[in-house]
Short mmCIF file of all heavy atoms in Angstrom, two decimals:
data_model
loop_
_atom_site.label_atom_id
_atom_site.label_comp_id
_atom_site.label_asym_id
_atom_site.label_seq_id
_atom_site.Cartn_x
_atom_site.Cartn_y
_atom_site.Cartn_z
N ALA A 1291 -22.55 24.78 5.98
CA ALA A 1291 -21.19 25.12 5.54
C ALA A 1291 -20.14 24.37 6.35
O ALA A 1291 -19.16 23.84 5.80
CB ALA A 1291 -20.97 26.62 5.67
N ASP A 1292 -20.33 24.29 7.66
CA ASP A 1292 -19.37 23.59 8.51
C ASP A 1292 -19.36 22.09 8.22
O ASP A 1292 -18.29 21.47 8.17
CB ASP A 1292 -19.71 23.82 9.99
CG ASP A 1292 -19.45 25.25 10.43
OD1 ASP A 1292 -18.78 25.98 9.68
OD2 ASP A 1292 -19.91 25.64 11.51
N PHE A 1293 -20.55 21.51 8.05
CA PHE A 1293 -20.63 20.08 7.77
C PHE A 1293 -19.97 19.76 6.44
O PHE A 1293 -19.21 18.78 6.33
CB PHE A 1293 -22.10 19.64 7.74
CG PHE A 1293 -22.28 18.18 7.42
CD1 PHE A 1293 -22.25 17.22 8.42
CD2 PHE A 1293 -22.46 17.76 6.10
CE1 PHE A 1293 -22.40 15.87 8.11
CE2 PHE A 1293 -22.62 16.42 5.79
CZ PHE A 1293 -22.59 15.47 6.80
N THR A 1294 -20.23 20.61 5.44
CA THR A 1294 -19.65 20.38 4.11
C THR A 1294 -18.13 20.44 4.17
O THR A 1294 -17.44 19.58 3.61
CB THR A 1294 -20.18 21.42 3.12
OG1 THR A 1294 -21.61 21.32 3.07
CG2 THR A 1294 -19.60 21.19 1.74
N GLU A 1295 -17.60 21.43 4.84
CA GLU A 1295 -16.14 21.57 4.95
C GLU A 1295 -15.55 20.41 5.77
O GLU A 1295 -14.50 19.87 5.41
CB GLU A 1295 -15.79 22.90 5.61
CG GLU A 1295 -14.31 23.11 5.88
CD GLU A 1295 -13.46 23.07 4.63
OE1 GLU A 1295 -13.98 23.36 3.54
OE2 GLU A 1295 -12.25 22.75 4.74
N ASN A 1296 -16.23 20.03 6.83
CA ASN A 1296 -15.74 18.94 7.67
C ASN A 1296 -15.71 17.62 6.89
O ASN A 1296 -14.75 16.85 6.97
CB ASN A 1296 -16.66 18.80 8.89
CG ASN A 1296 -16.13 17.80 9.90
OD1 ASN A 1296 -15.14 18.04 10.57
ND2 ASN A 1296 -16.81 16.66 10.02
N GLU A 1297 -16.77 17.37 6.13
CA GLU A 1297 -16.84 16.14 5.34
C GLU A 1297 -15.82 16.13 4.22
O GLU A 1297 -15.19 15.10 3.93
CB GLU A 1297 -18.25 15.99 4.76
CG GLU A 1297 -18.53 14.64 4.13
CD GLU A 1297 -18.56 13.50 5.14
OE1 GLU A 1297 -18.75 13.78 6.35
OE2 GLU A 1297 -18.38 12.34 4.72
N LYS A 1298 -15.62 17.29 3.60
CA LYS A 1298 -14.63 17.40 2.52
C LYS A 1298 -13.23 17.10 3.05
O LYS A 1298 -12.47 16.33 2.46
CB LYS A 1298 -14.67 18.80 1.92
CG LYS A 1298 -13.59 19.05 0.86
CD LYS A 1298 -13.65 20.48 0.33
CE LYS A 1298 -12.49 20.76 -0.62
NZ LYS A 1298 -12.51 22.14 -1.16
N ARG A 1299 -12.87 17.70 4.19
CA ARG A 1299 -11.53 17.46 4.74
C ARG A 1299 -11.37 16.02 5.19
O ARG A 1299 -10.30 15.42 5.04
CB ARG A 1299 -11.27 18.43 5.91
CG ARG A 1299 -9.85 18.34 6.47
CD ARG A 1299 -9.44 19.63 7.12
NE ARG A 1299 -9.24 20.71 6.18
CZ ARG A 1299 -8.08 21.01 5.62
NH1 ARG A 1299 -7.01 20.27 5.87
NH2 ARG A 1299 -7.97 22.00 4.78
N LYS A 1300 -12.42 15.46 5.76
CA LYS A 1300 -12.35 14.07 6.22
C LYS A 1300 -12.07 13.14 5.03
O LYS A 1300 -11.21 12.25 5.11
CB LYS A 1300 -13.67 13.68 6.90
CG LYS A 1300 -13.65 12.28 7.52
CD LYS A 1300 -15.05 11.85 7.95
CE LYS A 1300 -15.63 12.79 8.97
NZ LYS A 1300 -16.96 12.33 9.44
N ARG A 1301 -12.78 13.35 3.94
CA ARG A 1301 -12.58 12.50 2.75
C ARG A 1301 -11.20 12.74 2.13
O ARG A 1301 -10.58 11.82 1.61
CB ARG A 1301 -13.68 12.76 1.72
CG ARG A 1301 -15.07 12.38 2.24
CD ARG A 1301 -16.11 12.39 1.13
NE ARG A 1301 -17.44 12.09 1.65
CZ ARG A 1301 -18.50 11.86 0.89
NH1 ARG A 1301 -18.38 11.91 -0.44
NH2 ARG A 1301 -19.69 11.60 1.42
N PHE A 1302 -10.74 13.99 2.17
CA PHE A 1302 -9.42 14.32 1.65
C PHE A 1302 -8.35 13.55 2.43
O PHE A 1302 -7.42 12.97 1.85
CB PHE A 1302 -9.20 15.83 1.77
CG PHE A 1302 -7.95 16.33 1.10
CD1 PHE A 1302 -7.85 16.40 -0.28
CD2 PHE A 1302 -6.87 16.76 1.85
CE1 PHE A 1302 -6.71 16.90 -0.90
CE2 PHE A 1302 -5.72 17.25 1.26
CZ PHE A 1302 -5.64 17.31 -0.13
N VAL A 1303 -8.48 13.53 3.76
CA VAL A 1303 -7.51 12.83 4.60
C VAL A 1303 -7.56 11.33 4.35
O VAL A 1303 -6.52 10.65 4.26
CB VAL A 1303 -7.79 13.13 6.09
CG1 VAL A 1303 -6.95 12.23 7.00
CG2 VAL A 1303 -7.50 14.59 6.41
N GLU A 1304 -8.77 10.78 4.22
CA GLU A 1304 -8.91 9.34 3.98
C GLU A 1304 -8.27 8.94 2.66
O GLU A 1304 -7.57 7.92 2.56
CB GLU A 1304 -10.39 8.97 4.00
CG GLU A 1304 -11.03 9.04 5.38
CD GLU A 1304 -12.54 8.84 5.35
OE1 GLU A 1304 -13.08 8.80 4.22
OE2 GLU A 1304 -13.16 8.75 6.42
N LEU A 1305 -8.48 9.75 1.61
CA LEU A 1305 -7.87 9.46 0.32
C LEU A 1305 -6.35 9.63 0.38
O LEU A 1305 -5.61 8.93 -0.31
CB LEU A 1305 -8.46 10.37 -0.76
CG LEU A 1305 -9.92 10.08 -1.15
CD1 LEU A 1305 -10.43 11.13 -2.13
CD2 LEU A 1305 -10.05 8.68 -1.74
N GLY A 1306 -5.90 10.55 1.23
CA GLY A 1306 -4.46 10.71 1.43
C GLY A 1306 -3.84 9.45 2.01
O GLY A 1306 -2.73 9.05 1.62
N LYS A 1307 -4.53 8.82 2.95
CA LYS A 1307 -4.04 7.57 3.54
C LYS A 1307 -3.99 6.45 2.50
O LYS A 1307 -3.04 5.67 2.45
CB LYS A 1307 -4.94 7.15 4.71
CG LYS A 1307 -4.88 8.08 5.91
CD LYS A 1307 -5.84 7.61 7.00
CE LYS A 1307 -5.79 8.54 8.20
NZ LYS A 1307 -6.75 8.13 9.27
N VAL A 1308 -5.04 6.41 1.67
CA VAL A 1308 -5.07 5.39 0.61
C VAL A 1308 -3.93 5.61 -0.37
O VAL A 1308 -3.22 4.67 -0.77
CB VAL A 1308 -6.43 5.43 -0.13
CG1 VAL A 1308 -6.40 4.52 -1.34
CG2 VAL A 1308 -7.56 5.03 0.82
N ALA A 1309 -3.72 6.88 -0.75
CA ALA A 1309 -2.66 7.20 -1.71
C ALA A 1309 -1.29 6.84 -1.13
O ALA A 1309 -0.42 6.31 -1.83
CB ALA A 1309 -2.72 8.68 -2.07
N LYS A 1310 -1.09 7.13 0.16
CA LYS A 1310 0.19 6.79 0.79
C LYS A 1310 0.47 5.29 0.69
O LYS A 1310 1.57 4.87 0.33
CB LYS A 1310 0.19 7.23 2.26
CG LYS A 1310 1.41 6.75 3.03
CD LYS A 1310 1.25 6.92 4.53
CE LYS A 1310 2.41 6.24 5.26
NZ LYS A 1310 2.31 6.36 6.72
N SER A 1311 -0.53 4.48 1.02
CA SER A 1311 -0.35 3.02 0.97
C SER A 1311 -0.04 2.55 -0.45
O SER A 1311 0.83 1.68 -0.66
CB SER A 1311 -1.62 2.32 1.49
OG SER A 1311 -1.87 2.67 2.83
N GLN A 1312 -0.74 3.12 -1.40
CA GLN A 1312 -0.51 2.72 -2.79
C GLN A 1312 0.88 3.13 -3.26
O GLN A 1312 1.56 2.37 -3.97
CB GLN A 1312 -1.59 3.34 -3.69
CG GLN A 1312 -2.99 2.80 -3.44
CD GLN A 1312 -4.03 3.52 -4.29
OE1 GLN A 1312 -3.77 4.58 -4.83
NE2 GLN A 1312 -5.23 2.93 -4.37
N ILE A 1313 1.32 4.31 -2.88
CA ILE A 1313 2.66 4.78 -3.29
C ILE A 1313 3.74 3.89 -2.67
O ILE A 1313 4.71 3.49 -3.34
CB ILE A 1313 2.86 6.25 -2.89
CG1 ILE A 1313 1.94 7.16 -3.72
CG2 ILE A 1313 4.31 6.67 -3.07
CD1 ILE A 1313 1.89 8.60 -3.24
N GLU A 1314 3.60 3.58 -1.38
CA GLU A 1314 4.58 2.72 -0.70
C GLU A 1314 4.66 1.36 -1.37
O GLU A 1314 5.75 0.80 -1.57
CB GLU A 1314 4.22 2.58 0.77
CG GLU A 1314 4.51 3.82 1.61
CD GLU A 1314 4.16 3.63 3.08
OE1 GLU A 1314 3.18 2.92 3.37
OE2 GLU A 1314 4.87 4.19 3.93
N ALA A 1315 3.48 0.80 -1.72
CA ALA A 1315 3.46 -0.52 -2.36
C ALA A 1315 4.17 -0.49 -3.71
O ALA A 1315 4.95 -1.39 -4.05
CB ALA A 1315 2.01 -0.99 -2.52
N ARG A 1316 3.94 0.54 -4.50
CA ARG A 1316 4.57 0.64 -5.81
C ARG A 1316 6.08 0.91 -5.71
O ARG A 1316 6.85 0.46 -6.54
CB ARG A 1316 3.88 1.72 -6.64
CG ARG A 1316 2.50 1.28 -7.14
CD ARG A 1316 1.89 2.30 -8.08
NE ARG A 1316 0.72 1.74 -8.76
CZ ARG A 1316 0.74 1.06 -9.90
NH1 ARG A 1316 1.91 0.85 -10.51
NH2 ARG A 1316 -0.36 0.59 -10.44
N LEU A 1317 6.47 1.67 -4.67
CA LEU A 1317 7.91 1.91 -4.47
C LEU A 1317 8.62 0.60 -4.14
O LEU A 1317 9.72 0.33 -4.63
CB LEU A 1317 8.13 2.93 -3.35
CG LEU A 1317 7.76 4.40 -3.67
CD1 LEU A 1317 7.86 5.25 -2.41
CD2 LEU A 1317 8.69 4.95 -4.76
N LYS A 1318 7.99 -0.22 -3.32
CA LYS A 1318 8.58 -1.51 -2.97
C LYS A 1318 8.65 -2.43 -4.19
O LYS A 1318 9.54 -3.29 -4.28
CB LYS A 1318 7.77 -2.18 -1.85
CG LYS A 1318 7.93 -1.50 -0.50
CD LYS A 1318 7.09 -2.19 0.57
CE LYS A 1318 7.23 -1.49 1.92
NZ LYS A 1318 6.39 -2.13 2.97
N ALA A 1319 7.71 -2.23 -5.10
CA ALA A 1319 7.71 -3.05 -6.32
C ALA A 1319 8.71 -2.56 -7.34
O ALA A 1319 8.89 -3.18 -8.40
CB ALA A 1319 6.31 -3.06 -6.93
N GLY A 1320 9.37 -1.43 -7.05
CA GLY A 1320 10.42 -0.93 -7.92
C GLY A 1320 10.05 0.25 -8.78
O GLY A 1320 10.87 0.72 -9.59
N ASP A 1321 8.83 0.77 -8.64
CA ASP A 1321 8.44 1.94 -9.43
C ASP A 1321 9.20 3.19 -8.97
O ASP A 1321 9.55 3.32 -7.79
CB ASP A 1321 6.94 2.22 -9.29
CG ASP A 1321 6.11 1.28 -10.14
OD1 ASP A 1321 6.71 0.47 -10.87
OD2 ASP A 1321 4.87 1.36 -10.06
N ALA A 1322 9.40 4.12 -9.88
CA ALA A 1322 9.93 5.42 -9.51
C ALA A 1322 8.86 6.21 -8.78
O ALA A 1322 7.65 5.94 -8.92
CB ALA A 1322 10.38 6.18 -10.76
N PHE A 1323 9.27 7.19 -7.99
CA PHE A 1323 8.32 7.94 -7.16
C PHE A 1323 7.27 8.63 -8.03
O PHE A 1323 6.07 8.57 -7.72
CB PHE A 1323 9.08 8.97 -6.31
CG PHE A 1323 8.19 9.77 -5.40
CD1 PHE A 1323 7.59 9.19 -4.30
CD2 PHE A 1323 7.97 11.13 -5.64
CE1 PHE A 1323 6.76 9.93 -3.46
CE2 PHE A 1323 7.16 11.87 -4.82
CZ PHE A 1323 6.55 11.28 -3.72
N ASP A 1324 7.68 9.28 -9.10
CA ASP A 1324 6.73 9.99 -9.96
C ASP A 1324 5.66 9.04 -10.51
O ASP A 1324 4.47 9.36 -10.54
CB ASP A 1324 7.46 10.65 -11.14
CG ASP A 1324 8.28 11.85 -10.70
OD1 ASP A 1324 8.22 12.19 -9.51
OD2 ASP A 1324 8.97 12.45 -11.55
N LYS A 1325 6.11 7.86 -10.95
CA LYS A 1325 5.17 6.89 -11.52
C LYS A 1325 4.23 6.35 -10.45
O LYS A 1325 3.02 6.19 -10.69
CB LYS A 1325 5.96 5.74 -12.14
CG LYS A 1325 5.09 4.70 -12.85
CD LYS A 1325 5.96 3.62 -13.49
CE LYS A 1325 5.07 2.57 -14.18
NZ LYS A 1325 5.90 1.49 -14.81
N ALA A 1326 4.76 6.13 -9.25
CA ALA A 1326 3.93 5.63 -8.15
C ALA A 1326 2.87 6.66 -7.77
O ALA A 1326 1.70 6.32 -7.51
CB ALA A 1326 4.81 5.30 -6.95
N VAL A 1327 3.25 7.94 -7.73
CA VAL A 1327 2.30 9.00 -7.38
C VAL A 1327 1.22 9.14 -8.44
O VAL A 1327 0.04 9.31 -8.14
CB VAL A 1327 3.05 10.33 -7.18
CG1 VAL A 1327 2.06 11.50 -7.05
CG2 VAL A 1327 3.95 10.26 -5.95
N ALA A 1328 1.61 9.07 -9.71
CA ALA A 1328 0.64 9.19 -10.80
C ALA A 1328 -0.41 8.10 -10.71
O ALA A 1328 -1.62 8.35 -10.89
CB ALA A 1328 1.35 9.14 -12.14
N ALA A 1329 0.02 6.88 -10.42
CA ALA A 1329 -0.93 5.77 -10.31
C ALA A 1329 -1.87 5.97 -9.12
O ALA A 1329 -3.08 5.74 -9.22
CB ALA A 1329 -0.17 4.45 -10.17
N ALA A 1330 -1.30 6.43 -7.99
CA ALA A 1330 -2.13 6.65 -6.81
C ALA A 1330 -3.12 7.77 -7.05
O ALA A 1330 -4.27 7.72 -6.59
CB ALA A 1330 -1.23 6.98 -5.61
N GLY A 1331 -2.72 8.82 -7.77
CA GLY A 1331 -3.62 9.92 -8.07
C GLY A 1331 -4.78 9.49 -8.94
O GLY A 1331 -5.93 9.91 -8.75
N SER A 1332 -4.51 8.64 -9.91
CA SER A 1332 -5.56 8.16 -10.81
C SER A 1332 -6.61 7.35 -10.07
O SER A 1332 -7.81 7.48 -10.33
CB SER A 1332 -4.95 7.30 -11.92
OG SER A 1332 -4.07 8.08 -12.71
N SER A 1333 -6.17 6.52 -9.14
CA SER A 1333 -7.12 5.66 -8.44
C SER A 1333 -7.86 6.40 -7.32
O SER A 1333 -9.00 6.06 -7.00
CB SER A 1333 -6.39 4.44 -7.86
OG SER A 1333 -5.41 4.85 -6.92
N SER A 1334 -7.23 7.42 -6.72
CA SER A 1334 -7.85 8.12 -5.59
C SER A 1334 -8.67 9.33 -6.02
O SER A 1334 -9.54 9.79 -5.28
CB SER A 1334 -6.78 8.58 -4.60
OG SER A 1334 -5.93 9.56 -5.18
N GLY A 1335 -8.37 9.87 -7.18
CA GLY A 1335 -9.06 11.07 -7.63
C GLY A 1335 -8.39 12.36 -7.17
O GLY A 1335 -8.88 13.45 -7.47
N LEU A 1336 -7.27 12.24 -6.45
CA LEU A 1336 -6.54 13.43 -6.01
C LEU A 1336 -5.60 13.90 -7.13
O LEU A 1336 -5.01 13.09 -7.84
CB LEU A 1336 -5.73 13.14 -4.75
CG LEU A 1336 -6.53 12.78 -3.50
CD1 LEU A 1336 -5.58 12.44 -2.34
CD2 LEU A 1336 -7.45 13.92 -3.10
N LYS A 1337 -5.45 15.23 -7.24
CA LYS A 1337 -4.55 15.81 -8.24
C LYS A 1337 -3.21 16.11 -7.59
O LYS A 1337 -3.10 17.04 -6.79
CB LYS A 1337 -5.16 17.07 -8.84
CG LYS A 1337 -6.46 16.82 -9.60
CD LYS A 1337 -7.02 18.13 -10.16
CE LYS A 1337 -8.33 17.87 -10.91
NZ LYS A 1337 -8.91 19.14 -11.43
#
């Protein structure tokens, strides 16, 4: 149970970092925040 929870949170944090980078890149490219987040969610699997 501890390993499963630890691994789940670790992957959640890693995907959060990926999503942040993707959102920042799209914002710099001129996307609106909502559109940038939607794209990052699709590629990362986060809702």
